């Protein structure tokens, strides 16, 4: 295969597809190359057991930028997200705490545990919402370089400064606090009930190499909260057909816009000469030419595996090597012969359709993190367990179910020296299954098939370094103008015409499509094409 | 009623510094100290007849040279037994490391494999710390409606950052909110050298080297290059010099005079009420106590609910204990020449061991291997001991304030045993030299010094409790919401350690406000 393109995107993850869509719509001859036989990266649905569709990596949707959904007309191409409106944490004493997106229902539920907490919930929700409102417009803007004198950067710094200042005295301080606090300490200020805190704290550590008491995790909670479904901020939902529904819709949009996708076509090398992008070489040796190449791979994979070191400045390579991408999560995807019973839940409880957990205190979560630091999988893990088939029956045969279990924590390298590709995988899975079984007596017997994904498996299959779902830790030394490399936070790289569009770039990970959209904008800018009007944020600037 | 221009509560080093600055500003100052002795957390005491020991803090770490000059401490009796003490970082395998500033070598004299990388890292960090160190002696700027001074301060900071050069400026902004572990282990291997540097980031705090924000506390400790100095006569002599410096300009210091309340009228302070029942008048009161205690003394009804709530949430769980020993002779450390015992001796074998220590403390447990900073001040200053004995001062990092099952006598013994066992691994026979022993848990430190949680910063030095957020959002410029009331201790910017900046800055802030001079007559 050979050919010339205007733009080649390496990796058909959701960000790569997004960037490709925006560029194809502007008439650029765009090709997306994907190593695997299927597309979607970590936003994918796979039939790994006959009759069952697994969202075997990402599993729920919220952060997908509504601007991108609208710009690419994704609903017309089949994207349908159905919110699940509640969830729960089961406790060892046979009880539970349920979360309802209905404010009054939630208040009543919290009152079951503590009136004080019920009263404080209003303040807590308002505080988080304020932060969401502050941050949302910043997601679809490139981060400024605080050290440069370029008018664009200075203008952006002033914009951010003004936005910050407009919060007012009190809120400015509270914002700085929120962004630097741990989720554990933040929750300790509002709630006294352990299980309530534990329930909320989970989204502060999902996908991270941090604990609930690590500073900066309140921000991670925000990161998971600032999405929306149908305009409800903070809501999460299932994509019909699994998370592959997102990338399939994007792929259809791309084809309609005149773009091309090739699966089973891995890229071996990104070519450049004299600091300028020339194209790519495929695994099979074919050469494809393009003066613009956008990589959806994480920054380490891109530069340490697919670009020759001699083409890059030394300190850039050093900075890339230093960028922290630490695997900390595992996943179990399970085909069930029926719906498992949860005796703690009242009959017909709506929250069984949502996110289920079994960690009942911040200490328990913190100890799970300590295990990870010591190079072990958590003996008492945190999990985010859902049964999407309650809402989307298309994922399994009638009457059967599919369960997705996201687990914190599992290290990429085990301190024991054991490989994940062996008995350790099943032992880790058993830890998780045993914990679920504590709350569901018939669960084990219903298991028809399970796919266990350790950080090693995720890396191998999806191409995410160490299986880190964010393509890099979401800590402030690696966020915003520090992401992925200080001085290169604007999607560009030391090679002219080579860009990054994945979660290693601002604003980070989750199925957001923001990095992809932002990268496309910068590409257009460099090609001298008009960018105004591309996104509402751009129109507002 | 006796009237003063300003009353300072607490004759710790910050209170005495504030008094010294105020007195030099022409104010009539009274310092009130609850205890019979001065010095607060910088106090010295006689652990056994003829043995002078530092009770809590044992070295001057980042004592600000500008303050030293301003208070004429040299003229008031301060001299040093040794400046810039070296560090001996003990290794479990005997490959001990000697660190002097940015230079690291093995005790054996051989080169340390990471010496060059360490020197580069240290130099860079000191440079970065230098950018921030100017802020230590400034009132934190306010971001909302900043006045010209705030803008100038912010502009200078921006300018200083840019002056680092583009590459270093970017690195500064990256490192600023990073964690000590990554900053250190990105450059050198884990071991006693890395452990020593990481200890600087976490000592005195309830935090581990992996916690984001510890890069900032590391920079805090490296202000002025990070040198450590031992005053001649020990910490007691340092406090005496501070007191004399204030008194030489007319400040009065009253001991055994505890404050029962700060008196308030029409939202302004009018003075204090002593435990003895005596009232003293002043339009300005500076408290070197922690924020919660200060509010309680003043009466929480004078503050709005939001302020009280915020103060209630200040995190101040201490994680540091102290063990003081009087020894009949110099302990012999295996493989270490007695001449190499003149610096501080660390048992912090790796960054990993520090993190493990912190893990235990999180749950109220005592770690198997807490980190130790050991000093034998009598080695450098023989005047501290009559005869041939020595004192050994041990700061134990990672001892929980809330110990599971409580600080019983048995628990204290376990703490002492853990520490002595650790030390005897390097200095066998240490126990046989012990003449007297004092174990101070964080709970004891709280009881004796008033530091909440026994936390020597009076409030965690975490990014969300620093600078414009210290002690809380809205109270960061030393002035509390009641007129004439100021915080001048570790609870305020920039925090604790023996720096004197909080006292100095608060005094300056207090003098800026109108009405800080009365007509100054005794009633």
């Amino acid at each position: 295969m050979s050919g010339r393109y205007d733009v080649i995107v390496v990796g058909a993850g959701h960000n790569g597809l997004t960037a490709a869509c925006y560029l194809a719509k502007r008439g650029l001859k765009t090709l997306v190359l994907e190593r695997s036989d299927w597309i979607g990266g970590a936003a994918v649905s796979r039939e790994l057991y006959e009759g069952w569709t697994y969202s075997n990596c990402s599993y729920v949707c919220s952060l997908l930028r509504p601007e991108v959904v609208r710009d690419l007309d994704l609903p017309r191409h089949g994207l349908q997200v159905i919110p699940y409106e509640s969830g729960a944490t089961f406790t060892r004493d046979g009880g539970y705490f349920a979360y309802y997106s209905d404010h009054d229902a939630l208040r009543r539920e919290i009152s079951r545990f503590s009136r004080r907490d019920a009263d404080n919930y209003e303040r807590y929700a308002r505080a988080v919402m304020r932060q969401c409102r502050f941050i949302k417009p910043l997601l679809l803007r490139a981060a400024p370089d605080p050290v440069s004198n370029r008018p664009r950067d200075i203008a952006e710094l002033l914009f951010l400064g003004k936005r910050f200042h407009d919060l007012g005295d009190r809120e400015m301080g509270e914002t700085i606090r929120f962004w630097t606090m741990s989720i554990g300490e933040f929750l300790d200020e509002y709630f006294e009930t352990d299980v309530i805190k534990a329930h909320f704290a989970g989204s502060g550590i999902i996908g991270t190499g941090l604990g609930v008491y690590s500073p900066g995790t309140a921000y991670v909670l925000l990161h998971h909260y600032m999405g929306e479904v149908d305009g409800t901020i903070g809501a999460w939902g299932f994509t019909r057909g699994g998370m592959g529904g997102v990338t399939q819709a994007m792929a259809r949009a791309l084809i309609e816009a005149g773009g091309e996708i090739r699966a089973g076509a891995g890229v071996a090398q990104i070519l450049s000469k004299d600091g300028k992008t020339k194209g790519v070489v495929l695994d099979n040796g074919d050469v494809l030419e393009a003066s613009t190449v956008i990589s959806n791979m994480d920054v380490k994979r891109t530069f340490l595996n697919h670009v020759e070191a001699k083409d890059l400045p030394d300190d850039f390579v050093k900075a890339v090597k230093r960028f922290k991408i630490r695997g900390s999560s595992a996943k179990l995807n399970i085909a069930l012969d029926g719906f498992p019973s949860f005796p703690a839940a009242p009959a017909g409880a709506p929250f069984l359709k949502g996110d289920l957990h079994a960690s009942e205190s911040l200490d328990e979560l913190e100890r799970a993190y300590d295990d990870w630091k010591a190079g072990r999988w958590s003996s008492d893990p945190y999990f985010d367990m859902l049964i999407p088939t309650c809402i989307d029956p298309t994922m399994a045969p009638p009457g059967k179910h599919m369960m997705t279990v996201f687990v914190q924590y599992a290290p990429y390298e085990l301190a024991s020296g054991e490989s994940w590709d062996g008995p350790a995988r099943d032992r880790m899975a058993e830890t998780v299954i045993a914990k679920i079984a504590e709350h569901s007596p018939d669960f084990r017997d219903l298991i028809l098939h399970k796919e266990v994904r350790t950080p090693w498996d995720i890396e191998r299959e999806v191409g995410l370094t160490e299986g880190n779902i964010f393509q890099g830790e979401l800590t402030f030394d690696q966020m915003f103008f520090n992401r992925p490399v200080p001085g290169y936070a604007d999607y560009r790289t030391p090679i002219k015409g080579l860009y990054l569009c994945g979660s290693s770039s601002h604003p980070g990970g989750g199925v957001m499509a923001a990095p992809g959209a932002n990268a496309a904008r910068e590409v257009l800018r460099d090609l001298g094409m008009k960018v105004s009007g591309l996104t509402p944020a751009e129109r507002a600037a | 009623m006796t009237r003063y221009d300003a009353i300072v509560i607490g004759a710790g080093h910050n209170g005495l510094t504030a008094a010294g600055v105020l007195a030099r500003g022409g104010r009539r100052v009274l310092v009130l100290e609850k205890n019979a002795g001065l010095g607060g957390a910088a106090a010295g005491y006689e652990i056994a007849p003829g043995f002078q020991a530092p009770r809590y803090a044992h070295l001057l770490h980042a004592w600000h040279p500008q303050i030293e000059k301003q208070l004429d401490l040299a003229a008031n009796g301060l001299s040093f037994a040794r400046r810039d003490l070296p560090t001996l970082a003990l290794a479990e395998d005997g490959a001990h490391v000697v660190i002097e500033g940015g230079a690291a070598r093995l005790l054996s004299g051989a080169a340390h494999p990471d010496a060059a990388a360490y020197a580069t890292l240290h130099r860079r960090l000191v440079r970065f710390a230098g950018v921030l160190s100017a802020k230590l002696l400034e009132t934190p700027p306010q971001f909302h409606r900043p006045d010209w001074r705030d803008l100038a301060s912010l502009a200078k900071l921006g300018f200083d950052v840019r002056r680092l050069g583009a590459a270093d400026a970017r690195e500064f902004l990256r490192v600023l909110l990073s964690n000590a572990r990554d900053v250190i282990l990105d450059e050198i291997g884990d071991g006693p050298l890395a452990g020593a540097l990481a200890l600087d980031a976490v000592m005195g705090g309830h935090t581990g080297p992996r916690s984001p924000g510890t890069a900032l506390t590391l920079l805090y400790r490296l202000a002025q290059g990070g040198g450590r100095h031992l005053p001649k006569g020990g910490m007691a002599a340092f406090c005496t010099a501070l007191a004399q410096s204030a008194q030489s300009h007319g400040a009065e210091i009253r001991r055994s005079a505890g404050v029962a309340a700060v008196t308030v009228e029409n939202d302004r302070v009018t003075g204090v009420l002593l435990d003895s029942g005596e009232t003293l008048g002043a339009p300005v009161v500076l408290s070197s106590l922690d924020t919660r205690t200060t509010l309680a003394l003043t009466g929480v009804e004078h503050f709005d609910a939001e302020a009280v709530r915020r103060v209630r949430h200040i995190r101040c769980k201490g994680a540091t204990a102290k063990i003081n020993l009087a020894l009949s002779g110099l302990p012999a450390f295996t493989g270490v020449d007695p001449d190499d015992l003149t610096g501080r001796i660390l048992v912090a074998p790796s960054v990993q061991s520090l993190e493990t220590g912190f893990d235990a403390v999180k749950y109220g447990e005592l770690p198997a291997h807490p980190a130790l900073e050991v000093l034998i001040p009598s080695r450098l200053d023989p005047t501290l001991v009559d005869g041939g004995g020595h004192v050994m001062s041990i700061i134990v990092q990672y001892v929980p304030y809330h110990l599971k099952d409580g600080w019983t006598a048995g628990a204290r013994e376990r703490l002492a045993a853990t520490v002595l066992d650790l030390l005897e691994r390097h200095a066998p026979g240490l126990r046989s030299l012990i003449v007297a022993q004092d174990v101070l848990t964080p709970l004891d430190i709280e009881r004796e010094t008033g530091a909440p949680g026994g936390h020597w910063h009076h409030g965690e030095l975490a990014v969300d409790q620093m600078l414009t957020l210290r002690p809380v959002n809205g109270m960061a410029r030393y002035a509390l919401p009641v007129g004439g009331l100021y915080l001048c201790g570790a609870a305020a910017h920039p925090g604790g350690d023996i720096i004197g900046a909080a006292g100095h800055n608060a005094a300056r802030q207090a003098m800026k406000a109108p009405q800080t001079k009365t007509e100054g007559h005794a009633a």
Side-chain angles (χ1 to χ4, degrees), chain B residues 24-48:
Chain B
R24 278 166 180 72
R27 303 323 196 247
R28 188 161 172 231
V29 190
L30 169 69
V31 185
L32 295 167
E33 170 55 46
K34 172 180 78 171
N35 295 319
L38 302 175
Y45 77 120
E46 193 171 35
I47 180 175

Side-chain angles (χ1 to χ4, degrees), chain A residues 123 145 149 366 370 373, chain B residues 162 170 355 359 362-363:
Chain A
R123 285 181 35 246
D145 181 356
N149 291 316
E366 187 70 12
D370 288 347
K373 282 194 291 187
Chain B
R162 276 162 172 259
R170 289 197 222 279
E355 190 71 27
D359 282 346
K362 285 187 301 197
Y363 311 112

